[in-house]
Structure formats: structure tokens, C-alpha cells
Amino acid sequence: MQPFVLSRPKTLAEAGDLARAQPQDSALRAGGIDLIDRMKEGLEAPARLIELRWLGESEAVMRALGPDGEGLQIGALVTLAQLAGHEGLGEAYAALRQAAGSAATPTIRNAATLGGNLLQRPRCWYFRHADLVCLKKGGSACLAVSGENKYHAILGGGPSFIVHPSTLACALTALDAQVVIRGTEARTLPIAELFVTPKQDAKREHALQPGEVLVRAILPKPGAEQRSGYAAVKEKQSHDWPLAEAAVKMSLQSGVMTDVRVVLGHVAPIPWRSREAEAALEGKPASEALFAEAAKAALAEARPLRDNAYKIPLAQGLLREVLHRVAGVPLPE
Ligand SMILES: Cc1cc2nc3c(=O)[nH]c(=O)nc-3n(C[C@H](O)[C@H](O)[C@H](O)COP(=O)(O)OP(=O)(O)OC[C@H]3O[C@@H](n4cnc5c(N)ncnc54)[C@H](O)[C@@H]3O)c2cc1C
Ligand code: SF4
């Protein structure tokens, strides 16, 4: 790893100024799990690391976790472990608690933050290899197309076929979160607009500009009948990134589902909201037959590569399981 200067700004304004002074040669560090990995792997060698964990009391919003007027606030420095253990997330936001509790390992969850989790870079093994220059690193081709593509996208892929690595992204998209970003000005985006598709720009995964800091996420106030859930399948349940994940949110009144959100993770370059599955479920009584129909609709447009067609039945089964759990319909024997 190359030597670097470690800066410990006390305010977001200071952090932003430092980042803008060296836009190509500095990096914000939160938990550091992904950033330090990338530096150790030789993918990046920033001359300056800007520590976000030393921000002072004036930036308490970065560590806040709890309700306020707009809904539930989650500061960007809140850790996955804090989210996994937060009782205030209740049934309405259960998808987020379950997602945070299933990501990575207990040790990583204690350090990893909301902001860093959403903004971590892809796990594609060609991208992570320091000697390979694929499309995402400025090369001319996606090496996964003709190479090993077991873990790659089956939906929305091309020209890069990464899957979005963030587990929190899947749950937060299902919960209609917004994110607040601060640079020279502050802006608030629906979380779906935080993510950049490879068709928009194959070299990046998010819409932040150099010097912008993700400050917090906001979950809108839930209706009385809102409930949600999340599940993932991994090769090793103890510590892998998922092969596929599903997050669902709905309001359930007398067995009828409304305000349904269906999001699949690790199947596409962005958290994949399935409007087809949502349309199949919206306004209808929950039933096993309907869940099977929705799962089929969610994967109807899947275009697998050579090694990843297995993700279609996997994601369908996972989505059905989460729908059963959230709607309280017993799973068939
Ligand atoms: C064995 C293993 C298994 C894992 N399994 C999973 C899994 O199942 N699901 C999952 O989601 N992840 C998984 N991870 C990844 C891990 O959760 C992420 O690396 C971690 O969440 C990143 O958070 P961080 O705070 O450490 O980010 P950092 O490494 O500090 O930052 C990540 C990136 O975000 C930028 N950044 C951080 N905070 C901000 C901010 N507030 N504003 C602007 N930019 C910012 C940094 O500059 C950097 O580019 C796994 C990791 C390992 C090692
Ligand atoms: S999927 Fe994306 S990151 Fe992986 S080789 Fe293709 S272009 Fe590179």
C-alpha cells in the first residue's frame, strides 16, 4: 500500500474542502472496510484519506438514528450492527433490520457504516484484479461477458454486468428511502436516483460528485398497516455477499396488499425494483398462487450469461418466501 496523509476534519465543510482540493487523489473513509481493501488490492492509492469518524458534535446528524418530523433518520455513520439491533425499526422497517443483520460478519458489521455500505464498489473479480483493465476501469470490454460470470447480473446488465454489492441498498429501496447529500450545496434524492446504471456510466455506481458527502437516509413515516421483510441466499451463510436477495414492503388490511414494493438484490447493477411483480400484487388478496405469479413476473426479463441462469429460480424462490413471511401466509409443506 502507498503512503498517505490521514486528515481528521471536525466539520463536513472542512471534509468537503479537503476532498475538493484533491478530487482525484483523496478518499473519504468511514468504516474503511471497502476502501482499505481496495487500497490493499492495489486498485487505488489516494494521497489523502479523510476520516469521517472524527467529525465533531456539530455534525451529530451523521450519527443520528431515530424518528424526527420527516420520518426515521439514519446518519451515514450509523453502523450495520446498530441498525441490526435497533428496536425502533419495528415491523414496518423490519426489512432494513434484517438486511443489516445478515450482511457480512459481526466484526465487519460493528465497523461498516450506512454510507460506506451504500457506496462500496463492486465485487466483480475482474474489477478487483489490479492487473486487469475492464470497461469499468477504462478498458474496452467487459471481461465477464466471455469469462467467468457466475456472480454477475441477469437483469439490467450491459455494458457492465456487475451486481450492486450493497445489502442495505436493496432494503432501503423497498422502503422508499431518501438520501441527503451535502457538498457546496445540500440535495435530497429518492434513493433510486443515488444509483447509476452501466448504461448511464459504466465507470461509476453512484451519483455523488467529488467533495460530496452522504449525510443521512430518511425513511418516510409508515402507515399503521405497513410491514416489510428481507432475505438473502449465500454460498456461505456466515460471511459471503449474497447470490440473490429480496426485500418487500406492503400495507396489509384484511389480507389485501397495497403500496407494494418488490426489490431484488445481487441480480442487477442497481437494486432492482420489479414494477411487474408489484403490479401483480397491488390491491389483491395475498395468496400462494399470486406470489408465484409475482415471482415469475419479476424474473420474466432476466437474460442470464453462461454461468448464472441458476439465479432465476433462486431469486423467484427467495421472493416467494419473503412474500409469504411478510403477508403472513404459511409456506406450503
Ligand atoms: C467477508 C465480507 C463479507 C461481506 N458481505 C457483505 C454483504 O453480505 N452485504 C454487504 O452489503 N456488504 C458486505 N460486505 C462489504 C461491507 O459491508 C462493506 O465493505 C462495508 O459496509 C463498507 O462500509 P464502510 O463504512 O467500511 O465503508 P468505507 O470502506 O469506509 O467506504 C466505502 C466507500 O464509500 C465512500 N464513503 C463512505 N462513507 C461515505 C459518505 N458518508 N459519503 C460519501 N462517501 C462515503 C468511501 O470513500 C469509499 O469509497 C462484506 C465484506 C467482507 C469483507
Ligand atoms: S462486469 Fe463490470 S466490473 Fe466486471 S468485468 Fe465487466 S465491466 Fe468490469
Side-chain angles (χ1 to χ4, degrees), residues 122 124 126-127 134-136 141-145 152 159-162:
C124 171
Y126 299 109
F127 172 70
C134 69
L135 200 61
K136 189 167 271 304
C142 169
L143 304 177
V145 171
H152 290 76
S160 160
F161 287 82
I162 58 149

Side-chain angles (χ1 to χ4, degrees), residues 28 30-35 38 112-113 116-117 119-120 167 214 239 241:
L28 298 171
I33 309 285
D34 185 45
L35 177 66
R38 280 159 27 210
T113 64
N117 187 268
L119 303 172
Q120 62 178 301
T167 286
L214 197 152
H239 67 266
W241 276 264

Side-chain angles (χ1 to χ4, degrees), residues 153-168:
I154 54 172
L155 285 160
S160 160
F161 287 82
I162 58 149
V163 291
H164 201 280
S166 167
T167 286
L168 297 190

Side-chain angles (χ1 to χ4, degrees), residues 98-152:
Q98 292 160 3
S102 91
T105 65
T107 312
I108 292 171
R109 293 197 289 273
N110 277 329
T113 64
L114 171 97
N117 187 268
L118 291 175
L119 303 172
Q120 62 178 301
R121 303 240 36 214
R123 302 304 311 173
C124 171
W125 38 36
Y126 299 109
F127 172 70
R128 291 273 165 175
H129 195 300
D131 298 335
L132 298 178
V133 184
C134 69
L135 200 61
K136 189 167 271 304
K137 292 199 275 191
S140 57
C142 169
L143 304 177
V145 171
S146 56
E148 303 282 329
N149 44 46
K150 179 176 174 185
Y151 300 118
H152 290 76

